[in-house]
Amino acid sequence: MQSHSEFTSPPPGCPAHAGGERVALHGMEFAAAPDAFYDLMRQYGPSAPVELAPGVEAELVTEYGAALHLLQNPDTFARDPRRWRALNEGRVPLDSPVLPMMMHRPNPMFSDGATHLRLRQAVTDSLSRIDMHRMNGHVNRVAAYLIEQFSSRGKADLVTDYAQWLPLLVFNDLFGCPAEIGDRLIFGFSGIFDGVDAEKANEVLTESFFELVALKRANPGDDVTSWLMQHQADLSDEEMIHQLVLLIGAGAEPMQNIIASALRLLLADERYTGGQHSAGLLVEDAINDVLWNSPPIANYAVHYPVHDVEVFGRTLPGGAPVLVSFAAANTDPNVSLGRQTLSKRAHLAWGAGPHACPAKDAALLISILAIEKLLNVLPDIELAVAEESLTYRPGPFHRALNGLPARFTPVRDERRPAGRSSGVTSGNTSPQENQGKSGKGSWWSGFLSWWKV
């Protein structure tokens, strides 16, 4: 085990090279080698001063024990961003790319006390009504549909052709989206995630959620959206929209990253490539590996001390953002090296305390089914590039592959008769290019048409 004193050389591009006091978590350098940055930050102690984006300062907790303390003490560390002193005083750029992930929204993630309990209860009660057997079948149908789009080509990008779209299509079913609204929700979320015309994407997303809420008010169904509306919490339309944004948006991005990162291990890591791809335990082991060592949300859970507090050996000012590094805490040298084999639940990838992820069981099931389906349909699939050439999307919060090129023996499409379109343009055309507001040629309506045949 290395001690803090052994980490004497900051990674390239780190502000410590120039004598800076804060460690920058933005830029390609951090995305390329986050573990080197975490090692550097451990020299500061249980937490370190960081810069999330230019002009946005925060404290990042890197020690496992300190992270648990933070997550389990809501009376001292609040979640409501309206306490953010620097933002309130105009010291945070209003066009900062991290603001959408940090600003207040009326949902459980950004609330405290009785408000948090009311909103979270509505979410957890509604999610508990999901029929896992029904979801199992739908994940398999969605996976089969997506695989069909590229299986005859003999190659695919498992991020942009598969992992990115599978959670969104599954959620469209769970939340009761009709074809046209579902198409536009996918357009909106993909635009925000990819930064492609994000302003337009956000506009489409907001309009689509308003329409979905209005539709379910008039015609409730057997879906999460309707259950949220029927809950005794009596959510307003505005609250409904923010719960849906949280559940679908905050669910899709981490799940995409879990699926892609686990597939990277299964296709390229020698600990996994020696076994049978279709072995269920192998898939679960790979996902557990990801959750411990490369959690999909690496640094988040923004808290605000309710007053100046002396903790972790540092004074944390009241109203200053304090984040948890799930990635650094999980790999804390002080945690037993046998942690992964001893417990699959001790990692912090799902958070802990009153704000822990309420949908982790469903997320795990969807991820396992998606990976098993792909590996069973394409048993000889392999990475198409050198593993060291893979790159990650920059950003302080996530650990997300840019792409995962793979190759395999082309599979003849048994389902599609000659001359029948799948509903989605094949080849390298992106979903954003295929879909318009009419929904023609887009993923959700394409899937619905495919399933009816």
Side-chain angles (χ1 to χ4, degrees), residues 40-157:
L40 167 69
M41 284 185 273
R42 291 190 177 102
Q43 296 184 44
Y44 289 86
S47 69
V50 298
E51 184 180 65
L52 302 176
V56 183
E57 299 180 347
E59 189 82 5
L60 186 70
V61 176
T62 59
E63 185 182 81
Y64 185 94
L68 272 179
H69 176 81
L70 183 78
L71 294 166
Q72 295 175 342
N73 282 275
D75 291 339
T76 302
F77 299 99
R79 294 293 292 263
D80 191 331
R82 288 174 294 189
R83 294 179 178 271
W84 189 357
R85 183 177 298 172
L87 180 64
N88 294 336
E89 295 175 354
R91 293 185 283 117
V92 174
L94 293 181
D95 61 351
S96 173
V98 299
L99 276 188
M101 292 284 285
M102 296 179 68
M103 293 185 68
H104 175 260
R105 303 175 190 273
N107 65 39
M109 184 179 291
F110 297 115
S111 59
D112 302 299
T115 300
H116 169 256
L117 290 175
R118 170 177 163 268
L119 297 175
R120 183 177 174 91
Q121 196 65 53
V123 168
T124 55
D125 287 351
S126 299
L127 291 177
S128 70
R129 296 180 62 177
I130 294 174
D131 183 332
M132 290 298 179
H133 179 73
R134 167 187 165 186
M135 188 177 74
N136 187 319
H138 191 67
V139 173
N140 276 301
R141 290 191 294 271
V142 167
Y145 167 69
L146 290 173
I147 294 168
E148 183 182 288
Q149 309 312 308
F150 57 76
S151 59
S152 63
R153 302 203 310 255
K155 63 180 181 179
D157 186 314

Side-chain angles (χ1 to χ4, degrees), residues 370-409:
I371 294 171
E372 289 181 345
K373 181 71 172 182
L374 179 77
L375 298 180
N376 285 329
V377 174
L378 306 172
D380 66 345
I381 192 169
E382 61 182 6
L383 200 61
V385 298
E387 184 182 12
E388 55 269 22
S389 71
L390 298 174
T391 59
Y392 289 81
R393 290 179 7 226
F397 304 123
H398 56 232
R399 185 61 173 160
L401 282 161
N402 274 314
L404 190 64
R407 59 189 172 216
F408 47 85
T409 301

Side-chain angles (χ1 to χ4, degrees), residues 219-340:
N219 299 288
D222 187 24
D223 52 67
V224 176
T225 307
S226 299
W227 300 334
L228 279 168
M229 285 181 177
Q230 297 160 2
H231 194 270
Q232 62 185 10
D234 192 24
L235 301 177
S236 67
D237 284 358
E238 181 187 12
E239 289 175 329
M240 277 295 307
I241 289 168
H242 284 286
Q243 308 325 298
L244 294 173
V245 170
L246 172 66
L247 289 171
I248 299 178
E253 170 76 8
M255 209 176 305
Q256 167 190 328
N257 298 340
I258 290 173
I259 293 170
S261 294
L263 282 170
R264 178 188 66 81
L265 291 177
L266 290 163
L267 299 183
D269 192 302
E270 61 183 10
R271 293 174 299 161
Y272 296 94
T273 54
Q276 292 296 316
H277 281 162
S278 60
L281 285 177
L282 196 62
V283 172
E284 291 186 44
D285 288 344
I287 290 175
N288 190 52
D289 195 328
V290 168
L291 294 174
W292 269 107
N293 297 308
S294 188
I297 300 299
N299 308 296
Y300 200 40
V302 188
H303 293 73
Y304 303 87
V306 298
H307 51 71
D308 292 359
V309 58
E310 183 76 25
V311 68
F312 317 145
R314 300 173 62 88
T315 299
L316 304 180
V322 183
L323 284 71
V324 173
S325 177
F326 303 113
N330 282 351
T331 56
D332 180 355
N334 295 315
V335 177
S336 167
L337 293 177
R339 66 196 188 285
Q340 295 179 47

